[in-house]
Amino acid sequence: MARPRKPLLSRDLIVGTAGALVDAEGLAALSTRRLAAELGVSGPSLYNHFRTKDEILDAVADAVSAKIDLSMFEETDGRDWRTALHDWAVSYRAALADHPHIVPVLAQGPGRRPAGLRVADAVFGAMVRAGWPPAQATSIGALMRYFVTGSALGSFARGFVDDETAYDPADYPHLGQAHLLADHRQKVDERAFETGLRALLDGLLVQYEAQVRRAGKPDGSASDGSASDSSASDGSASDGSASDGSASAER
């Protein structure tokens, strides 16, 4: 029998199959034995491409990160930092919403994952270019990851059952319509996300404008836009964050 011209396995095939399995059945369903069976190969064959199941999960998570739009952070893009963060957060949430079971892995941060690190680098770099001190840019990356991954971990609306008797007015006088929430899951959850995102960005804008005002005062404030109370003179964060962006969290 002639040998096949192409190998039966590739990293992309393994990652794609593992991702489909996680999407369909959750993280607990993924094991090297189950994955090998799905691929129609023996278990040891996987180890020619990945050393451990955790490496496979990392690759699945990174494939999701690679779907996040980063074009708004390019230096040639004309969007201001606030609009860029908004548009990126929407794309970020959409990517996670398509693959909710992998969110707990993504929420741990980028580790050594290339696509995840590119996301972190893009956000951090864009915030620094916009005039945020490195310490604050790191914090912005972190808080955006907290917000977006938190919103993708579960549905608020689906957290309520559709049984009206579960919400006795004697016990829960303000939950008379809670049993209807699950039927309007998408509308409720998307509105909550947009409300929170606008509030978050509005709060950042207040901080940014205050920082600009401080920088313009002839009282020794930094003239380059750095906030004197949030960043050391060399750009390093007072909380130990690295000024080169290495401490920025994956978004």
Side-chain angles (χ1 to χ4, degrees), residues 46-197:
L46 300 176
Y47 298 118
N48 292 325
H49 301 274
F50 295 95
R51 292 176 298 179
T52 65
K53 185 184 83 170
D54 285 343
E55 281 193 1
I56 297 173
L57 277 175
D58 264 354
V60 171
D62 214 37
V64 174
S65 293
K67 297 178 181 180
I68 301 170
D69 183 14
L70 299 176
S71 62
M72 65 287 296
F73 296 128
E74 295 175 1
E75 294 190 47
T76 55
D77 191 276
R79 279 168 279 194
D80 61 88
W81 67 265
R82 187 185 184 282
T83 303
L85 278 180
H86 175 277
D87 295 348
W88 167 71
V90 171
S91 173
Y92 186 6
R93 180 174 179 264
L96 269 57
D98 288 340
H99 307 279
H101 292 146
I102 200 66
V103 173
V105 178
L106 285 164
Q108 296 172 10
R112 297 177 181 272
R113 299 193 294 269
L117 290 171
R118 282 193 290 273
V119 172
D121 182 74
V123 178
F124 181 87
M127 294 305 100
V128 171
R129 286 197 308 273
W132 286 98
Q136 293 292 82
T138 295
S139 296
I140 290 170
L143 72 89
M144 294 298 290
R145 177 163 66 87
Y146 300 154
F147 177 71
V148 177
T149 57
S151 72
L153 280 172
S155 164
F156 175 82
R158 281 184 176 171
F160 295 88
V161 298
D162 61 359
D163 180 4
E164 186 174 4
T165 64
Y167 309 104
D168 189 329
D171 297 321
Y172 315 107
H174 306 296
L175 296 182
Q177 301 296 307
H179 65 288
L180 302 175
L181 289 174
D183 290 337
H184 304 280
R185 177 194 62 80
Q186 184 173 358
K187 181 178 180 180
V188 171
D189 291 345
E190 288 185 357
R191 185 170 57 198
F193 176 77
E194 278 294 339
T195 299
L197 181 57

Side-chain angles (χ1 to χ4, degrees), residues 20-59:
L21 182 58
V22 171
D23 284 345
E25 301 183 34
L27 288 171
L30 183 65
S31 66
T32 53
R33 178 178 296 180
R34 174 73 185 279
L35 181 57
E38 292 286 330
L39 290 164
V41 300
S42 63
S45 300
L46 300 176
Y47 298 118
N48 292 325
H49 301 274
F50 295 95
R51 292 176 298 179
T52 65
K53 185 184 83 170
D54 285 343
E55 281 193 1
I56 297 173
L57 277 175
D58 264 354

